[in-house]
Amino acid sequence: MAPVVPRPTRQPNEVSAGGVVVRTLHSGNEVVLVSDGRYWGLPKGNLEAGETPEDAAQREVAEETGIARDTLSVVAELAPSDYVYRRRDTGRLVFKRVHQYLMIAPADAELHRQESEIADAGWLTFDAAVRRASFDDTKRALQEAERLLQSGVVGGTS
């Protein structure tokens, strides 16, 4: 039997950051999902030159949702998402890594979507968000965030 050789990992040629944004209401926790008109996912976007993934995540979440950046608290780093997609404009294959964070927003945070990029946005329960999410990596991030909150590993919500 031949030895198992790990597949070489490909360096991403596109890096984004974003995350699971949670607010706590009397009725429980809600998370933000955004849609580009075709797919539902987490707010995210590409890193700018010299920007850390955490800073990019806060900036992108603020830009796409309209939640003030200085009111978002990053409380945990979630597992990154790695995937491949083909650009519609060039047909080029893109190897992408998305750094994801669990962020707490104020209970009174309202959404004001970035109209140039976001077709729709909403606050949903974790269960509803997992059902609506278009991709498995989004579902995994939501489930990881909910487990962290329920376990008490991170604070800020009930």
Side-chain angles (χ1 to χ4, degrees):
M1 177 180 232
V4 176
V5 178
R7 285 184 20 201
T9 57
R10 173 99 186 219
Q11 286 289 82
N13 51 9
E14 188 173 291
V15 180
S16 291
V20 177
V21 181
V22 179
R23 71 175 180 181
T24 300
L25 304 175
H26 294 295
S27 58
N29 291 326
E30 292 184 332
V31 296
V32 175
L33 281 190
V34 297
S35 173
D36 64 359
R38 298 184 323 158
Y39 304 112
W40 284 92
L42 301 172
K44 68 178 183 304
N46 291 335
L47 273 68
E48 294 180 352
E51 194 173 38
T52 67
E54 186 174 319
D55 286 341
Q58 283 185 292
R59 176 184 53 76
E60 284 291 342
V61 165
E63 287 175 4
E64 292 190 356
T65 66
I67 300 170
R69 182 178 180 165
D70 63 352
T71 67
L72 293 167
S73 300
V74 175
V75 295
E77 184 171 0
L78 303 173
S81 173
D82 292 298
Y83 58 92
V84 179
Y85 75 95
R86 189 169 301 280
R87 289 188 58 99
R88 284 187 283 173
D89 56 349
T90 64
R92 185 178 73 110
L93 216 53
V94 176
F95 294 83
K96 185 164 188 157
R97 166 158 290 165
V98 181
H99 297 274
Q100 301 179 113
Y101 298 88
L102 171 57
M103 298 180 208
I104 305 299
D108 63 352
E110 293 182 9
L111 299 177
H112 302 282
R113 66 181 172 82
Q114 182 181 23
E115 292 185 16
S116 62
E117 293 188 26
I118 305 299
D120 200 1
W123 289 105
L124 301 140
T125 65
F126 272 103
D127 287 342
V130 168
R131 284 192 305 274
R132 184 172 292 177
S134 298
F135 299 107
D136 288 342
D137 64 326
T138 302
K139 294 174 185 185
R140 282 191 299 273
L142 289 162
Q143 291 163 340
E144 181 183 0
E146 185 176 31
R147 277 192 304 274
L148 284 171
L149 292 168
Q150 289 175 344
S151 72
V153 171
V154 296
T157 64
S158 57

